[in-house]
Amino acid sequence: MNRIIGRADLLPLLLVTLLATLACFLFLNRGPLYYDEAIYAQVAKEITQTGDWITLHWNGRPWFHKPPLYLWSTALLFRVFGPSELLARFTSALAGVGCVALTYLIAKRVANNTTAIVAALILLSSALFTVNARQGMTDVLMTLFTLLAVYAYLSTGPERVRWIVTGLACALAVLTKGAAGLLAPMIVVVSLVWDRRWRELTSPSFWQGLIVFLVLAGSWHFLLFAMHGRSFLSAYLFKHVIERASADLHQYRYGYEFYFEALSHFVWPWVLLMPFAVAAAVRRRGSKIVFVNAVLPLLLFTLAQTKFSWYIVPIVPALAILTAQFLCAMMMRVRERYRPLIWLTVLLFAIVGSVEV
């Protein structure tokens, strides 16, 4: 992808990356590991103890709940530095920094530098994103690879490179969170059709990217099936994919409004602007992939029966970009003397949101 980062982007990108590093790594080792964090850390620890990097184990037994990518990264850190709460969360925090950088670059690609800076600020002051970036879980890493796929899709570089990077990013999303990682290729394909880029569906470059995706994403899954057969399928596919989608495994009985309530609590006060931003995006010309990234996962997770607030972390960067576009479009429409009021609103919202972070 030619000129991924232009010279004009370097200073603001460095500044938002520095801010993201502070937000994601600050107090990273504060507090004990929570339930899922503790499980993932133990699985990573047992990788270093057993030397088995293919079949994951928890308390000595095969563990087929999640794919291995996040656990591998944590196991590598444990092997070099020894287990700790900080290192159990390190990959997620680093992915959080990458998400902010990619949010800036995507917003710059679809809009301009001002929109990119505002989008990064919105993302960093959204508790749903930043708090989860400090948790040793898989959602923020999957979000990083989803954003990488979006950025590759939007790139103006050589077609072959774009599609290979897209396929690689989608595969890594699947190896991070299994079926949920399929959201990345779904977002790309839906956007490709909506943007009427029909020719690319039959191009050799698209098929090369598809092969990269299938081979890389399928490798570990086929290997585990070959080694464990029905026991792997029963736990990994039927219990943790099909049953989670069709039944509330934890019997919390959350309704269809659950994720809207999560957004109202954990993306406050930006959520006040987001409905207008999404509506404006429908009418906006140009690529639709950011809109699809915001809406498609929300729709699918709303329909699924098992619900947790962190499932929708992947939509927060896209919502941040749409909201930044909406705010910057308002600035262009109002008289110049009123523009400081909009900037003041952005600043106040960022401060209020950061309190929750």
Side-chain angles (χ1 to χ4, degrees), residues 289-306:
I289 193 166
V290 177
F291 175 83
V292 175
N293 190 173
V295 174
L296 181 62
L298 179 61
L299 175 63
L300 294 178
F301 283 129
T302 297
L303 293 175
Q305 295 302 303
T306 301

Side-chain angles (χ1 to χ4, degrees), residues 219-297:
S219 57
W220 178 82
H221 293 85
F222 282 118
L223 189 56
L224 264 289
F225 177 68
M227 294 171 64
H228 300 282
R230 183 175 295 179
S231 60
F232 170 68
L233 278 185
S234 176
Y236 183 83
L237 179 61
F238 291 103
K239 181 175 182 180
H240 290 283
V241 177
I242 296 174
E243 286 188 25
R244 278 180 181 271
S246 60
D248 185 354
L249 294 188
H250 303 280
Q251 298 184 359
Y252 292 141
R253 304 185 189 280
Y254 294 135
Y256 292 126
E257 75 286 351
F258 173 75
Y259 288 118
F260 298 98
E261 292 178 354
L263 288 170
S264 68
H265 283 100
F266 302 120
V267 192
W268 180 264
W270 299 110
V271 69
L272 297 172
L273 301 174
M274 286 176 176
F276 304 103
V278 172
V282 175
R283 301 190 300 270
R284 190 180 299 119
R285 293 181 181 180
S287 177
K288 307 298 191 301
I289 193 166
V290 177
F291 175 83
V292 175
N293 190 173
V295 174
L296 181 62

Side-chain angles (χ1 to χ4, degrees), residues 165-245:
V165 172
T166 302
L168 175 64
C170 291
L172 293 175
V174 171
L175 287 174
T176 299
K177 204 169 180 184
L182 289 171
L183 281 168
M186 289 172 65
I187 289 166
V188 169
V189 171
V190 170
S191 302
L192 193 66
V193 173
W194 197 2
D195 285 331
R196 299 183 180 180
R197 289 165 56 172
W198 311 110
R199 184 190 63 81
E200 294 187 51
L201 287 169
T202 58
S203 72
S205 298
F206 174 83
W207 288 97
Q208 288 170 356
L210 182 61
I211 290 169
V212 168
F213 166 70
L214 293 174
V215 170
L216 186 57
S219 57
W220 178 82
H221 293 85
F222 282 118
L223 189 56
L224 264 289
F225 177 68
M227 294 171 64
H228 300 282
R230 183 175 295 179
S231 60
F232 170 68
L233 278 185
S234 176
Y236 183 83
L237 179 61
F238 291 103
K239 181 175 182 180
H240 290 283
V241 177
I242 296 174
E243 286 188 25
R244 278 180 181 271

Side-chain angles (χ1 to χ4, degrees), residues 64-87:
F64 300 133
H65 295 202
K66 290 285 187 294
L69 191 58
Y70 188 92
L71 294 311
W72 284 346
S73 68
T74 305
L76 284 171
L77 291 169
F78 282 2
R79 171 161 286 188
V80 176
F81 301 105
S84 70
E85 285 86 356
L86 187 149
L87 294 179

Side-chain angles (χ1 to χ4, degrees), residues 85-217:
E85 285 86 356
L86 187 149
L87 294 179
R89 295 164 174 158
F90 187 91
T91 297
S92 183
L94 189 62
V97 176
C99 286
V100 175
L102 279 169
T103 297
Y104 172 90
L105 291 171
I106 292 168
K108 176 71 186 297
R109 177 74 66 184
V110 300
N112 52 51
N113 198 53
T114 302
T115 302
I117 293 170
V118 174
L121 289 175
I122 293 171
L123 183 60
L124 282 170
S125 55
S126 298
L128 185 60
F129 171 78
T130 307
V131 171
N132 278 287
R134 300 192 201 116
Q135 305 295 316
M137 295 168 65
T138 58
D139 303 272
V140 176
L141 185 61
M142 189 194 86
T143 302
L144 174 70
F145 295 130
T146 303
L147 289 172
L148 180 59
V150 171
Y151 185 67
Y153 176 88
L154 291 168
S155 172
T156 57
E159 186 178 46
R160 180 171 176 269
V161 176
R162 285 192 290 110
W163 281 116
I164 287 177
V165 172
T166 302
L168 175 64
C170 291
L172 293 175
V174 171
L175 287 174
T176 299
K177 204 169 180 184
L182 289 171
L183 281 168
M186 289 172 65
I187 289 166
V188 169
V189 171
V190 170
S191 302
L192 193 66
V193 173
W194 197 2
D195 285 331
R196 299 183 180 180
R197 289 165 56 172
W198 311 110
R199 184 190 63 81
E200 294 187 51
L201 287 169
T202 58
S203 72
S205 298
F206 174 83
W207 288 97
Q208 288 170 356
L210 182 61
I211 290 169
V212 168
F213 166 70
L214 293 174
V215 170
L216 186 57

